[in-house]
Amino acid sequence: MLIANMAMSDLLYPILLIPVQLTELHVGSWLIGGTLGQALCKIYPFLGDISSLVSIQSLVLITVDRYAAVVVPLRSPLISRKVCRCLMVGTWILAAAVLSPYLFIFNLVEYSEGVWCELQWEVTFGEKSSFGIYNLSLSILFLFIPFVVLVILYSIILINLKKQSHPGEQSANADEQRTRRFRNVLKMTVAIVVVFFICWIPLTINVLMFNLVPTKTLDFCKFRVFHEVAFLMACTNCAINPIICLTFTSNYRQALRRLVNCSLKVPATVAYSFILVVSLVGNSLIVLIVYKTQTLRKPINMLIANMAMSDLLYPIFLFPVKLVDFQVGSWLIGGTLGQAWCKIYAFLADISTLVSI
């Protein structure tokens, strides 16, 4: 559930943030003006950082859950399903509360060259406070401290796992399988944590440089290139996480197969049924028209009718077998008849193709 919570936060990037970034790269300015543009200007950075904060909190909670499962395995789960749901909602509420100033400091500003979405901290809160300090506080609370906590907890987990493994001792198959599954999940979570920090540290450095280093000392061209690379790396994290989950955990792969099979069954059945009806009626009419109309019995029309007759093999013999295969999942007829039908099915399919060619 916590991994699903991370996935939901990652969805904010491909749905809302990356399209805006692509538009900015090609247009060079903020595309939408007026009230809608002002609202998008505030929501764009707000949701972007909410995504990262929710992901970080989810990573910490996942690690705490793995820590409890290794260090105190005999106790009841530290994070039950009910508690987990509350914590998931809490990650979003906390992220939204901490980032609420974003809804005030980002505004549309019109220039002669176009409209831009700009950060206006001093205009909103005055010169006494600094966005750099606010941003540095966020980085410490939601990046550096979680990173230290995760390193400590995973170090303790690995030490305990080494203590629990005794070479030469044979355990029951059930225990071995359970241990193997647990280790795969642990590898997956470690991989997610490592990839997350690798992808996000460059963008964090970029933001800190922008807010703490005097603008005059920065090479704007190089800084712009670094910003684009850092942002691209942060976006890449959203694409890597699903790959990690499917790579390390067989349960995810099995569930994906079931999901794909179930999701394809209905549309495939509808598509094959539609094609069956259209091809049966259409090709039958072509053959009938050429046969009944004396003036159409010319070589080219006769060859078209020949193609139509070969195409009729699909709706009469092949599509019904395909539809049964989708619904039943296996060959329906056994015995001598089934054996004959198995041979005829493939034989007629290729005959139809070769005759048409």
Side-chain angles (χ1 to χ4, degrees):
M1 292 176 72
L2 292 169
I3 292 174
N5 194 47
M6 276 189 66
M8 285 189 290
S9 68
D10 287 344
L11 279 172
L12 293 175
Y13 268 81
I15 293 174
L16 299 173
L17 306 178
I18 293 177
V20 175
Q21 189 71 12
L22 288 172
T23 303
E24 188 177 342
L25 283 172
H26 288 279
V27 178
S29 63
W30 199 257
L31 192 61
I32 304 171
T35 306
L36 178 59
Q38 178 77 352
L40 289 174
C41 174
K42 295 176 181 294
I43 292 171
Y44 168 68
F46 178 67
L47 291 180
D49 283 1
I50 275 185
S51 174
S52 57
L53 293 192
V54 170
S55 294
I56 291 168
Q57 294 176 82
S58 299
L59 286 175
V60 173
L61 292 173
I62 290 168
T63 306
V64 170
D65 180 65
R66 295 297 90 195
Y67 170 82
V70 172
V71 178
V72 283
L74 299 179
R75 292 186 182 179
S76 57
L78 183 63
I79 302 178
S80 62
R81 288 189 177 183
K82 187 176 181 180
V83 173
C84 185
R85 291 191 185 96
C86 296
L87 290 173
M88 287 169 61
V89 175
T91 59
W92 290 87
I93 293 173
L94 179 60
V98 170
L99 296 171
S100 57
Y102 278 37
L103 298 175
F104 303 97
I105 62 175
F106 284 94
N107 294 291
L108 281 185
V109 181
E110 292 187 12
Y111 296 98
S112 57
E113 300 87 359
V115 181
W116 301 88
C117 180
E118 293 188 353
L119 188 155
Q120 297 181 322
W121 180 276
E122 293 181 356
V123 173
T124 307
F125 296 108
E127 296 182 357
K128 293 182 179 180
S129 58
S130 168
F131 179 74
I133 295 173
Y134 166 73
N135 212 1
L136 179 62
S137 303
L138 285 179
S139 299
I140 292 171
L141 289 173
F142 289 97
L143 189 70
F144 300 123
I145 291 178
F147 180 72
V148 173
V149 171
L150 291 174
V151 169
I152 293 171
L153 291 179
Y154 275 115
S155 299
I156 297 172
I157 289 171
L158 293 174
I159 291 169
N160 277 268
L161 284 175
K162 286 184 178 180
K163 289 180 180 179
Q164 291 173 11
S165 60
H166 304 285
E169 293 184 3
Q170 294 295 328
S171 59
N173 289 333
D175 291 336
E176 288 181 357
Q177 291 176 1
R178 184 166 57 251
T179 303
R180 193 181 300 111
R181 284 197 300 268
F182 179 81
R183 288 179 184 273
N184 286 337
V185 172
L186 184 62
K187 289 177 184 177
M188 179 185 71
T189 54
V190 171
I192 290 174
V193 169
V194 171
V195 169
F196 180 87
F197 282 101
I198 290 174
C199 290
W200 276 96
I201 282 176
L203 189 61
T204 304
I205 294 171
N206 174 263
V207 173
L208 293 176
M209 286 175 62
F210 181 75
N211 292 289
L212 298 179
V213 179
T215 308
K216 295 180 180 179
T217 62
L218 292 173
D219 186 326
F220 179 78
C221 184
K222 292 180 180 178
F223 182 78
R224 176 71 177 176
V225 171
F226 178 68
H227 168 75
E228 295 299 338
V229 172
F231 185 81
L232 182 63
M233 287 184 67
C235 294
T236 304
N237 181 69
C238 304
I240 295 175
N241 281 341
I243 298 172
I244 292 173
C245 292
L246 293 171
T247 301
F248 284 93
T249 310
S250 60
N251 290 339
Y252 277 93
R253 294 194 295 272
Q254 292 169 5
L256 178 64
R257 290 190 196 101
R258 291 195 297 269
L259 181 64
V260 171
N261 289 336
C262 293
S263 61
L264 285 178
K265 184 179 291 186
V266 174
T269 302
V270 173
Y272 273 112
S273 300
F274 175 77
I275 295 170
L276 186 152
V277 172
V278 172
S279 60
L280 182 63
V281 173
N283 287 301
S284 298
L285 287 174
I286 292 294
V287 174
L288 188 62
I289 289 169
V290 173
Y291 177 74
K292 289 286 188 180
T293 309
Q294 186 72 29
T295 56
L296 290 178
R297 292 182 189 173
K298 296 178 181 179
I300 187 170
N301 293 323
M302 298 286 286
L303 290 170
I304 291 173
N306 190 52
M307 279 186 62
M309 284 190 289
S310 70
D311 289 342
L312 278 172
L313 293 176
Y314 270 84
I316 294 173
F317 296 104
L318 307 178
F319 286 159
V321 175
K322 198 68 178 175
L323 288 170
V324 171
D325 187 39
F326 267 113
Q327 300 301 323
V328 178
S330 62
W331 198 257
L332 192 61
I333 305 170
T336 307
L337 179 60
Q339 179 74 2
W341 192 252
C342 175
K343 295 177 183 294
I344 292 171
Y345 171 73
F347 179 67
L348 292 178
D350 285 353
I351 276 189
S352 173
T353 305
L354 294 182
V355 170
S356 296
I357 293 172

